[in-house]
Amino acid sequence: MKQEELQAIASQLKNPTGEKGIEMGNMMNETNINMTRHSIQNLNISRENRILELGHGNAGHLEFLFEQAEKLKYYGLEMSEVMFQEARQINRNFVSQKQAFFSLYDGNNISLEDEFFDKIFTVNTVYFWQEPEKLLLEIYRVLKTNGNFCLTFAEEDFMKKLPFTQFEFELYSTEKAQELIKKTPFKMVYTETQTEKVKSKTGELVDRAFTTIVLEK
């Protein structure tokens, strides 16, 4: 693939736009579903929790999330206009029942009050954080005391084999992510790395290692 094509893939993954962005959203939902479920399961969601997700893509996983407990409220923040629209469309029932709330944000500031959420999670967004420490402090601020935050990402060793990650991606190993977290007041509760088989862009099955770090305020 040419440099421009690889660069285009990278920027669509970072911020999907247009028709291509919708396709990318569908593909990401499919390839990341195990990671997303792993993140959700590690939140230990309970009844009436308020949950925040950063960078939800098309949010095709909301049904799974709402199966975790009763009377949940889900809030999704997204930088991509097209993913915001897609997520609202796919989850229009949850939106109309006032169970799911979607908003656009700038990737740095969470415009909600302190201690608003019981649980927060994000899957495969850490590579694109402009100011990682600042965003972690924002997440900490809007999380209730004793609340959990799950950070889920594919391991650097796997990611660096993908030709497009040389553009716009900041790759993380577990150790590097833990070093970043140590700069914040978060307590690390638990780290789990799993390996799964995923289809590569060329259609063959490859092993992908991914990690969920469970943090507590």
Side-chain angles (χ1 to χ4, degrees), residues 155-194:
E155 284 284 337
E156 179 174 21
D157 283 350
F158 169 80
M159 293 295 282
K160 67 184 181 205
K161 294 177 191 152
L162 306 174
F164 50 80
T165 57
Q166 60 185 301
F167 307 104
E168 308 209 38
F169 280 74
E170 176 69 41
L171 300 181
Y172 282 84
S173 60
T174 297
E175 296 67 37
K176 184 173 163 182
Q178 287 169 335
E179 285 309 308
L180 168 64
I181 291 155
K182 281 179 192 158
K183 297 178 185 168
T184 74
F186 271 116
K187 298 193 281 278
M188 271 184 266
V189 179
Y190 172 74
T191 300
E192 186 184 14
T193 301
Q194 285 195 350

Side-chain angles (χ1 to χ4, degrees), residues 43 49-50 115 117-120 139-140 142-150 186-187 189 214-217:
L43 287 171
N49 276 177
R50 264 191 210 151
E115 308 231 340
F117 295 103
D118 301 283
K119 315 282 181 183
I120 302 177
I139 291 166
Y140 188 85
V142 298
L143 187 61
K144 290 180 185 174
T145 305
N146 303 321
N148 289 113
F149 168 49
C150 281
F186 271 116
K187 298 193 281 278
V189 179
V214 183
L215 306 175
E216 190 182 291
K217 179 165 174 176

Side-chain angles (χ1 to χ4, degrees), residues 15 32 41 43 54 59 93 97 108 120 135 148 159 176:
N15 190 352
N32 296 337
Q41 282 162 333
L43 287 171
L54 303 177
N93 292 347
Q97 288 159 17
N108 294 315
I120 302 177
L135 186 55
N148 289 113
M159 293 295 282
K176 184 173 163 182

